[in-house]
Amino acid sequence: MFLDDFGFPLEVTAETLNKYSYDLHNTKLLTSADTEFYLPPKWHGTIYSTEELLYSYRKRYNPDPTLLTFHALQPYEPEFICCQNAVVELTVLPAGQSLYSDKEIVVFLVKQPAEDRNTLITKELGTQLDFFPHNHHYHARILDEGIDVVYVDDKIYKTGPPTSYQHQRLYNLLRNIQPGAVLGLSGNPLPDILRTVCRKTAHGVKMHK
């Protein structure tokens, strides 16, 4: 998915591909090298992920190097990046292997200082749900700050039975993290049961309009 001008996640699909102006989205997050992603026409910008995922993606799909820049992040090591109207802190977190192949996947944590908000972005849930290693200094920081919003790919609720393995894993992830809120990347409503495992906050969570 992309980050928009303020650092909020923005999913681009085959159906919405032509709705976006390429010059508005200069940050792309690569969560898996297993599938080719959709790019708005003539889009150019920087794709962020781990060195291994970026290498695998370029080897498999041979993207146009004149349009794209690739930036490798070290796991658990935050970096400041510039969106159009905001500076955010971006961290890549290993998430184990995909449930559909033997490929490694990652999730991203985006800290938006202007919003005082930590956002966890998951495109796919893999074999690892504990993204924050207990023996790493990053774990203490996340426990102290907490996760305000988790974004999930809500298409898993359009296919498969209502008690599928993916649904249960998502529920377990939210129960472990206890974010302030959970939202779908497409903007579609999520099952009410997911909100029951979000923590109750006195002042609520500011939503992106």
Side-chain angles (χ1 to χ4, degrees):
M1 80 290 301
F2 294 87
L3 293 183
D4 71 8
D5 293 349
F6 295 92
F8 290 95
L10 177 64
E11 181 75 318
V12 174
T13 65
E15 294 74 23
T16 62
L17 186 61
N18 293 314
K19 293 182 180 179
Y20 301 118
S21 174
Y22 69 90
D23 58 347
L24 295 181
H25 315 301
N26 58 7
T27 302
K28 174 79 174 70
L29 308 182
L30 180 66
T31 59
S32 170
D34 206 24
T35 56
E36 190 167 20
F37 48 76
Y38 296 102
L39 288 175
K42 299 181 181 179
W43 182 86
H44 57 84
T46 302
I47 300 176
Y48 294 86
S49 192
T50 62
E51 184 174 356
E52 292 78 8
L53 261 64
L54 292 175
Y55 172 80
S56 297
Y57 180 81
R58 283 180 290 185
K59 183 177 180 181
R60 181 170 184 178
Y61 295 107
N62 192 28
D64 187 347
T66 64
L67 294 178
L68 306 177
T69 301
F70 295 88
H71 184 87
L73 299 167
Q74 293 297 318
Y76 316 115
E77 297 299 329
E79 288 192 26
F80 285 102
I81 66 169
C82 295
C83 299
Q84 190 73 14
N85 296 316
V87 174
V88 302
E89 188 182 273
L90 181 65
T91 310
V92 63
L93 308 173
Q97 291 182 332
S98 169
L99 299 180
Y100 307 103
S101 71
D102 60 354
K103 303 295 184 181
E104 297 294 319
I105 64 171
V106 298
V107 300
F108 287 90
L109 184 69
V110 179
K111 184 177 183 63
Q112 298 161 287
E115 302 282 340
D116 190 25
R117 167 169 161 152
N118 283 340
T119 300
L120 184 70
I121 304 173
T122 65
K123 177 66 178 173
E124 176 186 346
L125 295 181
T127 56
Q128 180 178 331
L129 293 182
D130 186 4
F131 307 133
F132 313 109
H134 291 229
N135 61 347
H136 196 282
H137 65 84
Y138 194 72
H139 177 76
R141 173 187 167 183
I142 296 304
L143 282 181
D144 181 57
E145 296 180 359
I147 303 294
D148 297 299
V149 181
V150 173
Y151 280 91
V152 301
D153 190 356
D154 45 285
K155 74 172 181 291
I156 66 172
Y157 292 101
K158 297 180 181 179
T159 59
T163 57
S164 75
Y165 182 56
Q166 279 278 37
H167 298 176
Q168 185 61 48
R169 288 181 65 77
L170 177 55
Y171 178 86
N172 290 341
L173 170 67
L174 296 174
R175 185 176 59 184
N176 291 339
I177 294 178
Q178 292 189 321
V182 56
L183 300 174
L185 286 170
S186 73
N188 291 325
L190 294 169
D192 291 339
I193 192 172
L194 297 183
R195 287 193 289 272
T196 65
V197 289
C198 294
R199 69 176 184 272
K200 304 299 187 296
T201 56
H203 303 290
V205 177
K206 292 181 286 185
M207 295 292 114
H208 176 49
K209 301 291 186 180

